[in-house]
């Protein structure tokens, strides 16, 4: 017998988790369906026996009991679909169903006046008969019915996790707007996901336990949401990588829903790196021909490029390897090749070769990812996937400002769209305000009407300058609030405002100011735009204002030294020349990028550029997302962020070092300014020597007038030895 016992475990099948889940789903479905067939007397002798037992236990409520089996099957189906395992049954939900079912069987017993056990099956069964004498005998039928109503309410609040105040507000709104009745119904599947036993939003210990998310290398306390009605946060679960639906937030008594993931497009990822082993041998042999001995190391394949790494022998200079880029490209028969020497954090050199078949990076995959949903920093932004296929997520609050540059068609505007959508999938209009400047008039107009916007999408230079000035005043206002309450930054102030409950201390939302095509704005009014941008990038971080500057003209007249000094985080997409790459990144490399979202990311924490593939976002995805937010804003009757004064001329005088206003320019104009302006417009030619020749004046005076013409927006900046551009036509 002992021998047989030893053999039996070996014969028994070893089932994996998915197989067990599949068997459980089939079992619960079979139990639910057979129970209903038994109640209808369609399951033979066995069904009749099951029906008698069910009616004996719960009486007429037996018609509802099989729904529990079917619901369990649906829950397990969702578990298997998301690859997310439930560690324990939710205690709140279990007790909630017990209270509600007890109320049902109790009502059935009272309504049918069940006084003896023989008639129990016509009321609430044995369960209801047990409760009947206690409720009816002590309180009567009306009092007993009221007690069971209280049981039902307790069960409802246990399941829904709503407060009584929120329930009353929802009920009041449902009477005013019957279409909002379904807002009272709790999302059972969301509640099933192991919610905490305590949901007190003011409990700091609860937040620390609930949101111990990993932020790359450190664990930080998560930010406090800037509304007194906080969203229900999702408990972190390391056993899954994606979520099926975004979280929800309670807003004005309504469940603010973020756009569903179904709006975003997802496709199959297919990558072909080519002959990997052959390329490794080619790299090693080519370097050996030039006297450089190397040992090949690991190879990683990303969506766009494959990186081959090797370790050079002692005594080999990296400059010698860098000088062989063209030779390696010739040997490997590739158009573009980039060397990373050394690879960050390793004593290796990387050779990045384009894949034979590239795989697009879909925004849906990044937003659903574990790294984005459990990111603990403020204002998380999806960057893309690196050369190893890892997700890159970074906090805009830590950047704290961002410069995005690249040639036409390199993927700059698409990346800005993905950045904005990643913010819209994370923040409500109370948490985040947006100001969008679209000088090209075709990229950011898609976001018109989004409830997060403080103003309409700005397409005119004059309104853009007014918006920048308004932002400076808003920054000063926020600093005064922080000073009054003795707080250092927006995060400390918002935590204080939520706990203090003072009318004068209201939470402050984050603000993101996006300018798409900074070059057009700088060419028209550089003397005003540059000082304001420098002022904001220097001071606005502490009060939650962050700038994203995009341009397809990465030259020193647009991306000036002052702007670069205050914007340490930069993203470079494909550019035309090495000079443009150095303007953006202060190093070469962007000229070797492949375009279509292939970029380099440089942040304060890693000054060596990291190559990545930006996510792909289509126009119809943006339209659907914006429409969803607009419809929901109208449904919830929320207070709009819109302020008509943003784009109007500011009445308060703004004093910024280096900024010249229109009045100061007119007061300090040279007497010959108007004559010089007429000459420049007439001949469509502008240079200092031209003014000297045509007006018979000296060089200092001609140079002064030329600078005044540039400040007035008549001519462009100096262009070496060539004549300046004239912005005003002869007509």
């Amino acid at each position: 017998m002992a021998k047989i016992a030893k053999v039996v475990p070996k014969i028994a099948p070893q089932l994996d988790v998915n197989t067990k889940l599949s068997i459980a789903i089939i079992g619960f479905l079979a139990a639910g369906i057979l129970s209903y067939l038994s109640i209808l007397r369609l399951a033979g002798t066995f069904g009749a026996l099951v029906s008698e037992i069910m009616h004996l236990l719960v009486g007429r409520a037996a018609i509802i009991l099989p729904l529990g089996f079917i619901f369990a099957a649906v829950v397990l189906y969702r578990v298997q679909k998301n690859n997310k395992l439930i560690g324990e049954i939710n205690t709140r939900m279990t007790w909630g169903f017990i209270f509600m079912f007890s109320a049902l069987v109790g009502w059935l017993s009272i309504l049918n006046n069940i006084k003896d056990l023989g008639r129990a099956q016509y009321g609430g069964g044995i369960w209801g008969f047990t409760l009947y004498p206690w409720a009816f005998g002590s309180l009567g039928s009306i009092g007993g019915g009221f007690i069971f109503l209280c049981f039902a309410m307790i069960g409802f609040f246990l399941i829904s996790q709503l407060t009584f105040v929120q329930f009353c507000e929802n009920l009041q709104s449902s009477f005013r707007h019957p279409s909002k009745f379904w807002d009272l119904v709790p999302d059972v599947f969301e509640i099933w996901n192991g919610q905490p036993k305590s949901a007190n939003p003011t409990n700091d210990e609860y937040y620390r336990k609930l949101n111990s998310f990993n932020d790359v290398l450190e664990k930080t306390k998560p930010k406090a949401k800037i509304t007194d009605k906080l969203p229900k946060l999702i408990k972190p679960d390391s056993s899954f990588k994606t979520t099926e639906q975004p979280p929800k937030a309670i807003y004005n008594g309504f469940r603010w829903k973020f756009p569903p993931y179904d709006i975003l497009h997802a496709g199959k990822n297919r990558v072909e790196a080519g002959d990997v082993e052959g390329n490794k041998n080619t790299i090693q042999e080519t370097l050996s021909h030039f006297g450089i001995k190397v040992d090949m190391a690991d190879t990683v394949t990303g969506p766009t490029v494959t990186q081959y790494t090797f370790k050079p022998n002692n005594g080999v200079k990296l400059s010698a390897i860098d000088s062989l880029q063209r030779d390696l490209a010739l040997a490997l028969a590739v158009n573009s090749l980039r060397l990373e020497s050394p690879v960050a954090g390793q004593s290796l050199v990387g050779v990045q070769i384009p894949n034979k078949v590239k795989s697009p990076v879909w925004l849906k995959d990044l937003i659903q990812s574990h790294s984005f949903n459990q990111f603990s920093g403020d204002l998380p932004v999806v960057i893309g996937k690196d050369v190893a296929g890892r997700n890159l997520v970074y906090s805009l609050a830590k950047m704290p400002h961002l410069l995005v540059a690249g040639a036409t068609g390199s993927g700059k505007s698409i990346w800005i769209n993905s950045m904005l959508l990643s913010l819209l999938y994370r923040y409500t209009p109370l948490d985040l305000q947006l100001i969008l400047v679209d000088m090209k008039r075709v990229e950011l107009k898609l976001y018109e009407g989004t409830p997060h916007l403080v103003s309409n999408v700005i397409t005119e230079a004059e309104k853009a300058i007014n918006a920048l000035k308004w932002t400076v005043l808003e920054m000063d206002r926020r600093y005064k609030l922080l000073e009054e309450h003795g707080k250092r930054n927006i995060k400390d102030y918002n935590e204080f405002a939520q706990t203090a409950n003072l009318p004068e201390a209201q939470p402050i939302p984050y603000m993101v100011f996006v300018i798409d095509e900074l070059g057009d704005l700088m060419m028209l009014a550089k003397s005003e735009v540059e000082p304001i941008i420098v002022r904001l990038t220097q001071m606005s971080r502490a009060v939650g204002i962050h700038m994203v500057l995009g341009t397809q003209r990465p030259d020193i007249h647009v991306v000036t030294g002052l702007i670069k000094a205050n914007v340490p985080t930069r993203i470079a997409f494909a550019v035309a020349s090495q000079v443009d790459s150095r303007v953006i990144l202060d190093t070469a490399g962007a000229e070797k990028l492949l375009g279509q979202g292939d970029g380099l990311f440089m942040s304060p924490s890693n000054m060596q550029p990291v190559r990545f593939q930006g996510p792909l976002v289509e126009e119809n995805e943006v339209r659907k997302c914006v429409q969803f937010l607009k419809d929901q804003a109208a449904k919830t009757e929320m207070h709009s962020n819109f302020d008509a004064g943003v784009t109007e001329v500011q009445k308060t005088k703004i004093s910024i070092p280096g900024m010249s206003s229109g009045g100061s320019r007119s007061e300090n104009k040279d007497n010959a300014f108007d004559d010089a302006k007429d000459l420049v417009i007439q001949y469509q030619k502008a240079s200092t020597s031209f003014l000297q020749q045509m007006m018979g004046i000296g060089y200092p005076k001609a140079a002064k007038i030329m600078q005044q013409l540039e400040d007035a927006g008549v001519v462009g900046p100096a262009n070496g030895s060539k004549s300046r551009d004239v912005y005003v036509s002869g007509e």
Side-chain angles (χ1 to χ4, degrees):
M1 293 296 293
K3 294 182 178 180
I4 296 176
K6 291 181 180 180
V7 175
V8 170
K10 297 181 180 179
I11 299 176
Q14 299 296 326
L15 302 180
D16 58 1
V17 175
N18 282 325
T19 304
K20 293 179 181 178
L21 284 174
S22 299
I23 295 173
I25 292 171
I26 296 173
F28 279 117
L29 280 177
I33 295 173
L34 286 176
S35 298
Y36 272 124
L37 292 177
S38 300
I39 293 173
L40 299 175
R41 304 291 182 176
L42 298 176
T45 307
F46 175 77
L49 178 62
V50 171
S51 177
E52 291 295 334
I53 294 175
M54 292 173 59
H55 281 86
L56 181 62
L57 291 176
V58 296
R60 298 183 185 275
I63 193 71
I64 299 177
L65 196 59
L67 285 177
F69 297 114
I70 297 176
F71 176 77
V74 174
V75 170
L76 292 178
Y77 172 81
R78 293 168 68 93
V79 168
Q80 191 176 48
K81 181 179 179 181
N82 296 326
N83 195 25
K84 180 174 63 175
L85 303 180
I86 300 177
E88 59 182 6
I89 297 177
N90 189 303
T91 306
R92 293 174 62 97
M93 178 172 286
T94 303
W95 279 104
F97 278 125
I98 291 175
F99 271 99
M100 295 187 74
F101 201 79
S102 299
L104 176 63
V105 297
W107 279 330
L108 290 173
S109 296
I110 290 178
L111 291 175
N112 290 276
N113 195 18
I114 304 301
K115 296 182 179 180
D116 58 86
L117 185 61
R119 299 181 64 250
Q121 60 180 338
Y122 298 104
I126 296 177
W127 192 339
F129 179 77
T130 304
L131 298 173
Y132 178 80
W134 169 78
F136 183 80
S138 302
L139 303 171
S141 58
I142 297 178
F146 176 74
I147 287 297
F148 289 135
L149 175 63
C150 293
F151 272 33
M153 293 294 294
I154 292 173
F156 173 80
F157 285 116
L158 284 172
I159 293 176
S160 66
Q161 300 190 24
L162 291 174
T163 65
F164 191 80
V165 174
Q166 292 172 347
F167 174 77
C168 292
E169 291 177 352
N170 288 351
L171 191 64
Q172 185 178 4
S173 300
S174 298
F175 280 117
R176 292 199 306 264
H177 306 284
S179 61
K180 297 179 180 178
F181 171 77
W182 290 107
D183 291 333
L184 293 171
V185 180
D187 190 344
V188 178
F189 292 108
E190 179 183 353
I191 298 168
W192 189 272
N193 292 333
Q195 295 288 345
K197 295 181 180 180
S198 175
N200 183 8
T202 61
N203 191 341
D204 291 339
E205 182 64 21
Y206 159 70
Y207 269 108
R208 283 193 292 271
K209 291 181 179 180
L210 183 65
N211 288 296
S212 56
F213 298 155
N214 290 328
D215 184 3
V216 187
L217 297 177
E218 63 180 0
K219 294 183 178 180
T220 59
K221 182 181 176 182
K223 63 177 177 54
K225 303 296 287 183
I226 61 168
T227 171
D228 54 348
K229 296 176 181 178
L230 301 179
K232 294 180 181 178
L233 302 178
I234 296 179
K235 184 178 180 179
D237 187 353
S238 59
S239 63
F240 69 99
K241 296 182 179 181
T242 61
T243 55
E244 184 179 358
Q245 291 296 335
K248 300 177 182 178
I250 302 299
Y251 178 79
N252 285 353
F254 295 92
R255 294 189 176 212
W256 177 265
K257 298 180 180 179
F258 297 101
Y261 293 133
D262 295 340
I263 289 178
L264 302 177
H265 179 69
K268 296 181 179 180
N269 297 327
R270 176 175 172 264
V271 179
E272 290 186 11
D275 186 4
V276 176
E277 292 300 325
N279 289 339
K280 291 173 67 174
N281 294 333
T282 302
I283 293 171
Q284 191 172 25
E285 292 174 0
T286 302
L287 293 174
S288 66
H289 290 162
F290 293 92
I292 299 176
K293 302 296 182 181
V294 299
D295 296 325
M296 299 304 297
D298 295 334
T299 301
V300 292
T301 300
T304 305
V305 298
T306 298
Q307 179 166 276
Y308 301 82
T309 58
F310 58 83
K311 181 177 179 61
N313 289 355
N314 294 333
V316 176
K317 293 184 177 181
L318 291 180
S319 58
I321 299 176
D322 292 337
S323 64
L324 297 177
Q325 288 194 44
R326 296 178 61 189
D327 299 286
L328 285 172
L330 176 64
L332 294 167
V334 294
N335 295 328
S336 176
L337 179 145
R338 181 175 178 267
L339 284 178
E340 185 177 3
S341 55
V343 176
Q346 304 180 53
S347 58
L348 300 172
V349 177
V351 181
Q352 298 171 0
I353 302 175
N355 292 329
K356 296 295 183 183
V357 177
K358 303 172 187 176
S359 173
V361 176
W362 303 102
L363 180 64
K364 181 177 182 179
D365 295 337
L366 294 174
I367 289 183
Q368 281 187 290
S369 68
H370 177 94
S371 56
F372 179 78
N373 283 289
Q374 297 195 4
F375 190 84
S376 62
D378 299 329
L379 301 176
V381 172
V382 291
I383 305 298
K385 289 182 178 288
D386 64 6
V387 294
R390 295 185 294 263
N391 296 337
L392 293 179
V393 181
Y394 204 85
S395 170
L396 183 59
K398 291 184 179 179
M399 291 186 184
H401 310 285
L402 175 63
L403 173 66
V404 185
T408 303
S410 60
K412 171 181 61 66
S413 297
I414 293 178
W415 188 90
I416 291 178
N417 282 331
S418 68
M419 178 208 67
L420 290 173
L421 286 184
S422 63
L423 292 175
L424 296 180
Y425 268 88
R426 191 67 178 257
Y427 289 90
T428 68
L430 280 185
D431 303 329
L432 176 67
Q433 295 177 343
L434 293 177
I435 300 179
L436 305 181
V437 177
D438 184 11
M439 298 303 295
K440 293 190 290 188
R441 302 172 179 262
V442 293
E443 297 294 344
L444 301 182
K445 288 293 287 183
L446 298 172
Y447 296 91
E448 194 70 78
T450 306
H452 299 71
L453 290 179
V454 182
S455 69
N456 294 326
V457 178
I458 302 170
T459 58
E460 301 176 13
E462 182 179 355
K463 291 184 177 181
I465 296 172
N466 292 337
L468 286 169
K469 293 179 180 179
W470 179 89
T471 307
V472 173
L473 296 175
E474 173 67 11
M475 178 183 70
D476 294 339
R477 184 188 71 83
R478 294 186 176 195
Y479 266 113
K480 291 178 181 178
L481 283 176
L482 266 61
E483 184 181 2
E484 289 176 3
H485 297 89
K487 302 301 176 183
R488 293 182 62 251
N489 52 48
I490 184 175
K491 190 172 182 178
D492 294 342
Y493 177 83
N494 285 338
E495 291 177 354
F496 161 75
Q498 288 180 347
T499 56
N501 293 324
L502 298 176
E504 65 274 10
Q506 296 298 322
I508 303 175
Y510 286 96
M511 178 180 292
V512 178
F513 197 121
V514 181
I515 301 178
D516 191 9
E517 199 38 67
L518 176 65
D520 293 348
L521 204 57
M522 291 286 284
M523 290 298 102
L524 293 175
K526 179 180 179 180
S527 59
E528 288 184 278
V529 173
E530 182 182 12
I532 297 177
I533 290 178
V534 170
R535 179 76 166 181
L536 288 172
T537 53
Q538 285 175 339
M539 299 184 59
S540 63
R541 174 184 184 177
V543 292
I545 299 176
H546 306 276
M547 301 202 70
V548 178
L549 309 174
T551 180
Q552 61 185 13
R553 300 173 60 181
D555 57 60
I556 59 175
H557 302 297
V558 175
V559 186
T560 63
L562 285 174
I563 292 178
K564 288 174 61 179
N566 295 284
V567 185
T569 306
R570 302 165 201 164
I571 290 179
F573 292 98
V575 294
S577 66
Q578 189 178 115
V579 175
D580 293 341
S581 177
R582 292 187 181 278
V583 169
I584 307 168
L585 301 173
D586 296 323
T587 184
E591 75 281 358
K592 297 183 180 297
L593 298 176
L594 305 176
Q596 298 181 343
D598 188 19
L600 293 173
F601 172 68
M602 186 175 69
S603 65
S605 60
N606 185 14
M607 298 307 293
Q608 183 175 352
V610 176
R611 191 168 188 176
F612 71 95
Q613 176 65 36
L616 177 62
V617 179
E618 297 177 351
E619 181 178 329
N620 63 333
E621 298 176 41
V622 179
R623 292 186 184 277
K624 290 179 181 179
C625 179
V626 171
Q627 189 61 46
F628 179 89
L629 295 174
K630 289 167 62 177
D631 294 342
Q632 186 174 196
K635 175 184 176 182
T636 56
E637 299 178 350
M638 62 179 300
H639 176 72
S640 175
N641 287 331
F642 187 83
D643 185 352
V646 173
T647 56
E648 296 178 355
V649 178
Q650 303 305 316
K651 298 179 181 179
T652 305
K653 185 178 180 181
I654 300 175
S655 178
I656 297 178
M659 187 183 76
S660 59
S661 61
S664 61
R665 284 198 302 264
S666 61
E667 293 172 2
N668 299 327
K669 284 179 182 176
D670 192 277
N671 296 330
F673 174 83
D674 293 332
D675 296 335
K677 179 180 177 181
D678 294 338
L679 284 172
V680 167
I681 294 175
Q682 178 182 354
Y683 289 95
Q684 289 295 295
K685 183 179 179 182
S687 66
T688 305
S689 59
F690 172 75
L691 293 182
Q692 286 181 267
Q693 179 182 359
M694 299 298 294
M695 302 180 65
I697 58 179
Y699 178 82
K701 186 173 183 179
K704 178 182 177 182
I705 295 175
M706 188 58 63
Q707 183 61 45
Q708 292 175 352
L709 289 171
E710 180 182 348
D711 293 340
V714 179
V715 300
N719 191 16
S721 60
K722 298 180 181 179
S723 178
R724 296 176 182 240
D725 295 330
V726 181
Y727 293 146
V728 182
S729 63
E731 298 177 358

